[in-house]
Amino acid sequence: MTTAAVRRPGRARVASPRAVSPRPYQNYVYAYPHKTAYRRLTGRPALASLWAAEPKDALSLYLHIPFCETRCGFCNLFTRIGAPDGLTGAYLDALDRQATAVREALGQDGPVRFATAAFGGGTPTFLTAGELDRLCDIAERRMGADLRAVPLSVEASPATATADRLEVLAARGATRLSLGVQSFDDTEARAAVRPQRRADVEAALGRVRDARIPVLNIDLIYGIDGQTERSWLRSLDAALAWRPEELYLYPLYVRPLTGLGRRSNAPAAPADRDWDEQRLRLYRLGRDHLLDHGYEQRSMRMFRRADAPPQGADDYACQTDGMIGLGCGARSYTSGLHYSFDYAVGMHEIRGIIDDYVSRPAADFAHAEYGRRIDTGEARRRHLLQSLLQADGLRCDDYEKRFGARPEEHFAAELDRFAALGWLAESPEETESVQQSETTENAEPRTLRLSPPRTLRLSPEGLAYSDAIGPELFSPAVRAAMAAYERK
């Protein structure tokens, strides 16, 4: 990819008078297709056959820990609150059995190498220091990942980022620690149903810095009830005081079956529009503030300090083909199938899925049970979507090499619409490579033409509307599957 980090909002295409912007906050697309499009697979395909023809020399490894000390009001991730005595140990036992079965399925015929690793959740640091050590052993001894030789990212919460846990992670090779802070304002934290005190957050950040893990990421949320521009800037400045190598700025969503979703009535459309405007205003304020403080924008959410040490591929790399996910909430990706275990948001259903996972014999882990087949059309959409939502954009020659045509040949209508809305970048580098035919008052914009090759990028306004652009690229089949999913 070419380097094209966003430093300052620049010139964008002028939207056609006929183009009407959709709602900016529709769906956070961190993986495509979403798990709600997965279904039970016919015949429980064997992992050995699924991975037989796949490249295995640069895999990503993801281990999922589905436990948290509390559940935030906005969270719809696969996680449960707390764990009865013995459950985390039983979960690690099952994870060990799964890792053994998966590594055997990968075969011994060719090289099996992991290029990146991550522990997510849930909250991986819900585990004790000794359990974290065992988690690393599973990754290394069962899967063969060299955690000290590859980027290893770990998610944590302020309450669980204790010195003994951080010491284990640093010793085992963690290169990035992501701390879910969300807000440095205690009142805002309570409004997001995240009970914490700023003093405890600051103490946790101090422990992370003392552990000397190379990259600190801080997650913050905008759009919280009662949040103002002034309080948002205070949270940003409190985070900047720690000079984090990365910052993620997330818009608040209120989703079904979450704590906030259960306590909220569906707001009227004008109120929704007002909230959209509030979030867009806070997003732009936060973006500009970070750019002014020496950060580069890598996606709508991700900002990296310009002098931060290299951390390998950007945040979407772990969602590419060739990912092995271990744990009952993890996804795995081959070129032709995405698969996982069953998915739920409700606490009762999550507990049932975890209980089923820990009781499984090793043989059960040698098969895929839930998932979605990925044909060529879906692979094209996924490649376009995941590349376009990054600041670097889509290298059109890479796309053509993989799929045999230019992206505008496959996605003419979508790219024309994005151009008409001012969502595609226009810069001196691209003036000659991106051309839009003139429109008249009574004519629709004509087909977008990209001269070979160059980079298709979002404008600053396009990045702001990433959560609208992603869903617009979903296929009709995936939309239908997601709509038919029965929430549980």
Side-chain angles (χ1 to χ4, degrees):
M1 286 290 191
T2 56
T3 300
V6 176
R7 295 181 181 275
R8 173 61 59 197
R11 188 169 50 138
R13 294 188 174 280
V14 177
S16 161
R18 300 172 66 91
V20 178
S21 294
R23 301 286 297 275
Y25 300 106
Q26 297 181 30
N27 202 342
Y28 170 26
V29 183
Y30 61 91
Y32 178 80
H34 189 268
K35 267 191 173 182
T36 53
Y38 291 13
R39 294 295 184 269
R40 186 180 289 276
L41 297 168
T42 303
R44 298 179 73 230
L47 300 189
S49 63
L50 293 177
W51 286 97
E54 296 288 317
K56 297 185 279 286
D57 59 341
L59 297 172
S60 298
L61 180 63
Y62 177 77
L63 276 66
H64 180 259
I65 304 300
F67 305 106
C68 291
E69 72 277 12
T70 60
R71 192 172 196 186
C72 303
F74 50 84
C75 178
N76 71 337
L77 298 178
F78 186 92
T79 188
R80 63 164 289 164
I81 302 170
D85 288 346
L87 182 57
T88 54
Y91 185 84
L92 290 173
D93 290 342
L95 198 66
D96 193 294
R97 295 194 298 275
Q98 185 187 10
T100 301
V102 170
R103 182 60 186 84
E104 182 177 344
L106 293 177
Q108 306 295 330
D109 296 339
V112 176
R113 188 183 73 86
F114 292 94
T116 64
F119 302 158
T123 307
T125 48
F126 180 89
L127 300 178
T128 66
E131 289 171 332
L132 284 171
D133 222 10
R134 186 181 177 196
L135 185 69
C136 294
D137 283 344
I138 291 170
E140 291 193 331
R141 298 177 185 176
R142 293 288 185 258
M143 295 304 300
D146 187 350
L147 298 182
R148 293 173 182 82
V150 302
L152 169 60
S153 178
V154 184
E155 298 172 7
S157 68
T160 61
T162 58
D164 59 339
R165 292 175 169 104
L166 295 171
E167 182 180 3
V168 167
L169 293 174
R172 298 303 295 262
T175 56
R176 178 179 182 271
L177 194 290
S178 181
L179 199 69
V181 173
Q182 319 315 347
S183 177
F184 283 85
D185 184 297
D186 292 355
T187 301
E188 290 177 5
R190 287 194 297 272
V193 195
R194 185 179 180 87
Q196 65 185 23
R197 297 185 306 123
R198 175 171 176 173
D200 297 329
V201 172
E202 300 277 2
L205 286 165
R207 293 191 295 271
V208 174
R209 282 311 196 194
D210 288 344
R212 299 187 179 278
I213 294 172
V215 173
L216 165 64
N217 172 71
I218 296 176
D219 288 345
L220 296 175
I221 285 182
Y222 55 92
I224 300 170
D225 188 30
Q227 190 176 50
T228 66
E229 293 182 15
R230 182 173 295 180
S231 68
W232 176 228
L233 285 175
R234 282 200 301 265
S235 270
L236 288 166
D237 285 336
L240 288 171
W242 292 97
R243 300 199 74 242
E245 284 71 24
E246 294 177 2
L247 277 158
Y248 271 72
L249 308 186
Y250 289 94
L252 179 66
Y253 278 91
V254 176
R255 298 180 176 94
L257 303 182
T258 63
L260 289 176
R262 287 192 298 269
R263 67 163 59 172
S264 301
N265 295 320
D272 276 349
R273 293 286 181 182
D274 290 344
W275 192 31
D276 285 347
E277 288 303 315
Q278 180 208 17
R279 285 180 287 180
L280 274 175
R281 187 169 59 252
L282 294 175
Y283 160 78
R284 291 169 176 145
L285 180 65
R287 174 197 64 193
D288 293 351
H289 197 63
L290 295 186
L291 295 177
D292 286 341
H293 282 77
Y295 286 75
E296 297 177 344
Q297 186 170 15
R298 307 303 308 170
S299 68
M300 173 187 168
R301 288 164 169 76
M302 182 187 183
F303 296 80
R304 179 179 293 150
R305 212 177 71 206
D307 61 346
Q311 176 60 20
D314 278 338
D315 59 338
Y316 74 114
C318 68
Q319 308 297 345
T320 56
D321 298 341
M323 187 167 91
I324 299 288
L326 302 178
C328 60
R331 299 171 174 86
S332 296
Y333 303 137
T334 70
S335 58
L337 179 72
H338 294 184
Y339 63 92
S340 69
F341 294 95
D342 198 4
Y343 171 71
V345 175
M347 193 57 58
H348 177 74
E349 288 76 11
I350 288 175
R351 288 174 176 170
I353 293 170
I354 294 173
D355 290 345
D356 172 71
Y357 176 83
V358 301
S359 68
R360 287 175 177 244
D364 268 13
F365 294 121
H367 301 269
E369 295 191 2
Y370 289 82
R372 188 166 189 87
R373 300 284 179 181
I374 304 298
D375 61 18
T376 301
E378 293 292 12
R380 290 196 297 252
R381 287 184 180 277
R382 188 163 181 263
H383 186 92
L384 173 65
L385 189 155
Q386 292 185 315
S387 299
L388 193 59
L389 296 185
Q390 304 300 309
D392 281 348
L394 172 70
R395 278 287 300 270
C396 297
D397 52 346
D398 289 346
Y399 183 95
E400 185 169 7
K401 181 178 179 180
R402 180 173 179 183
F403 298 111
R406 296 188 302 275
E408 70 274 18
E409 295 180 66
H410 291 147
F411 299 101
E414 292 92 337
L415 294 177
D416 283 345
R417 174 163 165 74
F418 298 162
L421 287 164
W423 289 350
L424 296 182
E426 183 177 337
S427 65
E429 175 190 346
E430 295 177 350
T431 299
E432 296 182 0
S433 61
V434 181
Q435 300 175 351
Q436 173 79 38
S437 298
E438 291 185 0
T439 61
T440 65
E441 184 176 350
N442 297 316
E444 295 289 343
R446 296 181 185 176
T447 301
L448 179 76
R449 295 184 178 87
L450 300 175
S451 304
R454 292 339 38 111
T455 303
L456 183 62
R457 270 189 204 99
L458 295 181
S459 65
E461 190 67 358
L463 281 174
Y465 275 78
S466 291
D467 286 6
I469 290 172
E472 289 214 12
L473 291 173
F474 291 2
S475 72
V478 165
R479 290 174 188 270
M482 293 176 67
Y485 173 78
E486 294 184 12
R487 296 190 183 101
K488 53 186 179 182

